[in-house]
Amino acid sequence: MSLAEPAALPVAASAPPHLHILKRLSTRFKTSLPAYLLLLPSLIFLALFTYGAMGRVFIDALYQRATPKAPLRFVGLDNISAVLADPAFTGAVINNLVYAVGTAIPSIGLALLFALALARTNAVTSALRAALFLPVLIPMVAASALFLFIFLPNVGLLDYYIGRLLPVLPNWLGDSDIALYAIMVITIWKNAGYYMLFFLAGLQSVPEDVMEAAHLDGAGPWQRFRHITLPELKPTFLFVTVIAILNAVTQVDHVFVMTKGGPSNATNLVLFYIYQQAVEHYDIGKASAATLLTLAALMGLTALSFRTMANREGGA
């Protein structure tokens, strides 16, 4: 190149702006491609078995079939109206609300007590943590069979020990006044150890220097727990509460094994009601409408919890 010739500008500097954008996108795509390929199997399963299933439920809720072999007939929102007017669905919702509150509060309270008692790591607390977490590993069906043996009238373990103290014993699973509370016990027993793990992780975020400063200032254990530990555990409480309510709606194996919704629908929960409509009555439209209402309620609850957490973090 002679000295008289102007120096050539770099290609990137002389290229139009849209070429810069395309080149940047191409580079980012090549960099991210391996990650997307690794995620591809999970994305396919998520699309097919989660969002695809939700779309199918939405479509089925708008149609009705008079008999299993009859053609589908578009009925609009009639299925949803029928579900809302069904006393069995209303009863299942009320049972589920009682079940959710009755299992969430005791299991979260026990989980917090376990986490506070076992916060320090040593050989004993590690063994106790493993023992408390063990029920989580037992399948719900197997745990239900175990508790079915415990609740058996006259010959079960519960009647064997309480029978020495009381002359008349209730039929734990056969009395409509107490059957729902009896099946709550198994959920509390299984979930307390699981929620304990979240509280153990939450306790790690409590600043030790603040606790030591409060101790030096004369604050007692209860004052330190109330004014330092509890505020730091608020996000954990919110997260665990949402998980507990979701578990109360999605766990129904023990109802199948122990009561099948009885006696007199006293233990009929929403998911078991959906099963009855879909399998026993073959009313897919009504079952889909009930599923759609349940999904809407759970998504609203989840969105509200995330909004609350975001507001708290934004205000922190």
Side-chain angles (χ1 to χ4, degrees):
M1 182 179 67
S2 67
L3 295 176
E5 294 178 353
L9 293 173
V11 176
S14 60
H18 69 278
L19 292 181
H20 284 283
I21 297 174
L22 290 176
K23 184 178 180 180
R24 194 178 305 141
L25 291 176
S26 176
T27 304
R28 185 177 300 176
F29 176 75
K30 290 178 181 176
T31 307
S32 306
L33 183 60
Y36 285 116
L37 290 176
L38 290 173
L39 289 174
L40 186 60
S42 299
L43 292 175
I44 292 175
F45 277 96
L46 187 67
L48 287 177
F49 298 107
T50 300
Y51 297 110
M54 289 172 63
R56 179 60 187 271
V57 165
F58 179 77
I59 294 172
D60 286 344
L62 302 176
Y63 288 85
Q64 186 58 279
R65 194 192 295 269
T67 62
K69 294 184 179 180
L72 286 173
R73 181 171 57 90
F74 182 77
V75 295
L77 300 180
D78 287 356
N79 285 325
I80 294 179
S81 301
V83 169
L84 293 175
D86 190 351
F89 179 75
T90 307
V93 171
I94 294 173
N95 287 341
N96 232 140
L97 290 175
V98 174
Y99 181 83
V101 174
T103 56
I105 293 177
S107 56
I108 291 174
L110 285 174
L112 179 61
L113 290 177
F114 293 156
L116 291 172
L118 306 177
R120 296 185 182 278
T121 305
N122 53 49
V124 176
T125 58
S126 297
L128 290 174
R129 289 179 188 178
L132 292 172
F133 187 74
L134 186 61
V136 182
L137 303 178
I138 300 176
M140 195 60 165
V141 173
S144 303
L146 173 65
F147 272 82
L148 190 62
F149 173 70
I150 293 174
F151 286 135
L152 274 177
N154 301 322
V155 295
L157 287 179
L158 195 59
D159 280 10
Y160 177 78
Y161 288 106
I162 296 183
R164 300 178 178 181
L165 305 174
L166 300 176
V168 180
L169 295 174
N171 187 347
W172 304 103
L173 299 176
D175 189 338
S176 58
D177 292 330
I178 59 174
L180 184 63
Y181 303 102
I183 66 171
M184 287 180 187
V185 174
I186 184 172
T187 303
I188 297 170
W189 175 73
K190 271 188 67 66
N191 290 342
Y194 177 54
Y195 303 149
M196 175 192 69
L197 297 183
F198 295 104
F199 283 112
L200 285 173
L203 288 175
Q204 302 299 318
S205 64
V206 178
E208 292 186 4
D209 53 342
V210 177
M211 295 290 284
E212 292 176 1
H215 181 68
L216 292 176
D217 288 342
W222 169 248
Q223 290 175 313
R224 294 199 300 272
F225 173 74
R226 180 181 176 185
H227 297 290
I228 300 175
T229 304
L230 273 184
E232 292 292 332
L233 290 178
K234 277 185 179 178
T236 307
F237 267 109
L238 183 60
F239 179 75
V240 172
T241 301
V242 173
I243 296 294
I245 294 175
L246 292 178
N247 282 337
V249 178
T250 56
Q251 288 183 346
V252 75
D253 309 41
H254 52 325
V255 176
F256 279 92
V257 175
M258 301 175 78
T259 63
K260 291 185 170 50
S264 303
N265 286 329
T267 59
N268 192 6
L269 304 181
V270 171
L271 197 56
F272 191 76
Y273 170 85
I274 294 172
Y275 161 79
Q276 286 179 315
Q277 298 302 320
V279 178
E280 296 181 2
H281 306 310
Y282 201 75
D283 194 340
I284 303 299
K286 203 171 175 181
S288 300
T291 305
L292 206 60
L293 291 172
T294 307
L295 279 175
L298 294 179
M299 290 174 70
L301 175 67
T302 307
L304 180 64
S305 65
F306 277 117
R307 184 182 178 86
T308 305
M309 292 177 67
N311 289 339
R312 185 183 183 279
E313 291 176 356

